Amino acid sequence: MTVNDILTILDANCIAGKDGLDKEVLTACGSDMMSDVLAFAHTQCVLLTGLCNPQVIRTAEMMDIVAIIFVRGKTPDDTMKAMADEQGLPLLVTPHRMFSSCGKLYEKGLTGGLVDG
Amino acid sequence: MAEVMELNYTVSNEDFTRAGEASSDVKKKLKQLGVSPEAIRKVAIALYEGEINMIIHAYGGQIKVTISEEMITLVLADRGPGIADIEKAMQAGYSTAPDKVRSLGFGAGMGLPNMKKNSDTMDIKTELGVGTTVTMTINL
Ligand SMILES: Nc1ncnc2c1ncn2[C@@H]1O[C@H](COP(=O)(O)OP(=O)(O)OP(=O)(O)O)[C@@H](O)[C@H]1O
Ligand SMILES: [Mg+2]
């Protein structure tokens, strides 16, 4: 699955970081706690979140996250968009809620990856 | 990369939106130096967790990163309140972070265990009312 496929599956808009739309996605992680993302996210993962602040972009940068999906129509501000553009990190905005968004992706074959530790 | 290289940062606690800038810069520099992706990932996670901690639990501080042939050493020093019980602080889920920090996406009590997991050695020196220094090494 690519970030572009996710765009279609989640009826989403890409509002920044369009350079990264062709990247391959292997797993997904849904959380509003960046602490959890830092502890559990796998490689080539997309992040689904309802949190909308610059720390979400930083966390994604640190974890090499492939794209961020903001659920429930949360819209990142210009600072966040500029950070994402610089990294080629796609920011997707979906009208769907967290549970539905995760469900739709899971249904299409995307999983959370193995639990380690 | 024969010579030892040193990077220094001052971390301020005034603007939370800038939290992580030091870690971000270190990550970029390690990439330029051709350090392996596995080591970069470990450094990025451990340093970012530490940088956030010195902002949310102390009043900012100093970060020193030393890169040698064999390892990367991360030293994070703050003049914050110190940690009363290190053993407790190291437990996953233990956090004294206020709700305000939690609403920003942090304060799950995962940081210190995650720093330990991503480093080869970790040492915490702390004194109440004086400050905390966390030293981590990541082998190359
Ligand atoms: N530099 C520090 N100065 C003072 N206290 C600290 C410092 N770092 C950690 N602590 C204490 O140790 C506790 C545990 O830290 P840890 O990083 O594991 O969790 P957290 O920062 O509260 O949450 P998270 O890291 O998940 O966002 C903190 O809640 C705090 O009480
Ligand atoms: Mg922490």
Side-chain angles (χ1 to χ4, degrees):
Chain A
M1 192 182 287
T2 65
V3 180
N4 251 321
D5 296 329
I6 293 178
L7 210 58
T8 314
I9 296 167
L10 294 181
D11 309 306
N13 272 324
C14 179
I15 59 157
K18 292 199 168 73
D19 292 351
L21 279 176
D22 292 326
K23 283 188 194 154
E24 188 73 25
V25 177
L26 296 182
T27 62
C29 170
S31 182
D32 291 352
M33 284 302 271
M34 293 307 104
S35 310
D36 286 340
V37 177
L38 285 161
F40 302 118
H42 292 257
T43 45
Q44 283 191 276
C45 147
V46 287
L47 169 63
L48 295 101
T49 187
L51 186 73
C52 195
N53 69 31
Q55 252 37 61
V56 179
I57 316 279
R58 278 271 180 262
T59 303
E61 180 189 355
M62 291 305 138
M63 300 299 287
D64 294 317
I65 277 169
V66 177
I68 307 175
I69 300 152
F70 293 93
V71 298
R72 290 182 257 114
K74 286 263 163 69
T75 313
D77 64 16
D78 290 341
T79 312
M80 295 170 67
K81 285 192 215 167
M83 286 167 81
D85 278 331
E86 195 198 311
Q87 295 168 46
L89 171 71
L91 301 186
L92 276 50
V93 174
T94 173
H96 299 293
R97 294 181 190 179
M98 177 67 97
F99 183 79
S100 315
S101 301
C102 294
K104 282 173 191 291
L105 293 178
Y106 199 92
E107 201 178 53
K108 297 284 181 187
L110 200 62
T111 66
L114 297 173
V115 177
D116 59 16
Chain B
M1 201 172 53
E3 273 167 60
V4 172
M5 194 174 149
E6 197 181 291
L7 306 168
N8 285 286
Y9 302 87
T10 299
V11 177
S12 156
N13 72 335
E14 273 161 35
D15 183 2
F16 187 72
T17 62
R18 297 185 58 187
E21 281 187 354
S23 305
S24 167
D25 191 68
V26 170
K27 192 177 178 200
K28 286 191 191 105
K29 295 226 159 82
L30 294 182
K31 218 168 175 178
Q32 283 164 12
L33 287 171
V35 173
S36 77
E38 296 77 38
I40 293 180
R41 186 176 168 88
K42 286 182 187 173
V43 170
I45 296 172
L47 190 59
Y48 183 55
E49 291 276 18
E51 185 177 354
I52 298 279
N53 273 358
M54 68 186 351
I55 293 169
I56 62 180
H57 304 300
Y59 321 112
Q62 300 289 326
I63 293 179
K64 188 172 92 180
V65 179
T66 316
I67 305 143
S68 76
E69 202 78 67
E70 300 82 31
M71 67 170 95
I72 297 176
T73 308
L74 312 171
V75 182
L76 298 102
D78 69 58
R79 293 174 185 278
I83 304 173
D85 187 339
I86 293 183
E87 212 172 296
K88 228 179 188 175
M90 284 301 301
Q91 286 171 11
Y94 177 84
S95 175
T96 60
D99 284 345
K100 185 175 152 267
V101 166
R102 225 153 273 149
S103 70
L104 293 167
F106 294 90
M110 301 301 296
L112 288 174
N114 204 19
M115 287 155 75
K116 174 127 189 134
K117 187 178 134 195
N118 282 286
S119 56
D120 290 291
T121 68
M122 175 162 135
D123 173 68
I124 304 175
K125 295 247 181 317
T126 188
E127 199 179 328
L128 288 181
V130 178
T132 302
T133 299
V134 181
T135 305
M136 294 175 281
T137 62
I138 287 104
N139 296 337
L140 292 176

